[in-house]
Amino acid sequence: MDTAELIVTTVGLGLAVLVIWYFFFAPHQAVSAVTSSSGVQQIDVTVKGGYSPDVIEVEHGKLVQLNFYRDEDASCSEEIVFPEFNIRRELPAFQTTLIELLPQQAGRFSFSCGMGMLRGSLVVK
């Protein structure tokens, strides 16, 4: 291997490690849902190359309303899946989709796109 091949290989491996760290190990700031006067926990989530916010904190035993606004038409974000809640919904491009759920127990529950590439967490306290 000559010097140029060694540099290209090293940079490629470094970028691969960075991508793995970003998607699987980077710290994410949790955002708490806002509780309305009726006791419903609400939060708006933007879908554009990922979920923002991607970590959502809610309280157990209270209704949760998640408003997913899909701000793109990429095929990966067409669907959202909450496996532990048996929820699978289509997310039309440039529209808001309401998802309601009632978490009964504390824990960390994942959600993702239909392909499993975009990921987020619902933290129930």
Side-chain angles (χ1 to χ4, degrees):
M1 236 189 226
D2 67 0
T3 305
E5 290 174 331
L6 187 58
I7 291 171
V8 169
T9 301
T10 303
V11 170
L13 286 173
L15 289 174
V17 168
L18 182 64
V19 167
I20 290 170
W21 171 81
Y22 177 78
F23 283 106
F24 296 106
F25 302 108
H28 299 273
Q29 180 116 12
V31 174
S32 296
V34 176
T35 303
S36 69
S37 59
S38 62
V40 176
Q41 301 174 91
Q42 300 176 332
I43 193 153
D44 296 331
V45 180
T46 301
V47 182
K48 187 171 186 175
Y51 302 109
S52 180
D54 61 352
V55 179
I56 302 164
E57 289 183 349
V58 297
E59 296 178 36
H60 76 281
K62 294 183 180 179
L63 183 64
V64 177
Q65 291 181 337
L66 303 168
N67 298 304
F68 285 89
Y69 177 72
R70 184 169 166 230
D71 194 19
E72 66 181 358
D73 58 3
S75 62
C76 185
S77 63
E78 290 177 343
E79 184 177 50
I80 189 157
V81 180
F82 287 81
E84 290 90 355
F85 296 97
N86 294 318
I87 294 174
R88 179 180 291 267
R89 297 275 168 75
E90 295 292 320
L91 298 177
F94 308 106
Q95 293 183 29
T96 299
T97 302
L98 172 65
I99 295 180
E100 292 185 327
L101 49 94
L102 183 62
Q104 295 296 333
Q105 61 184 359
R108 186 177 194 97
F109 304 95
S110 64
F111 59 90
S112 69
C113 66
M115 297 178 191
M117 297 188 61
L118 307 179
R119 299 170 185 254
S121 295
L122 182 69
V123 178
V124 181
K125 294 184 173 190

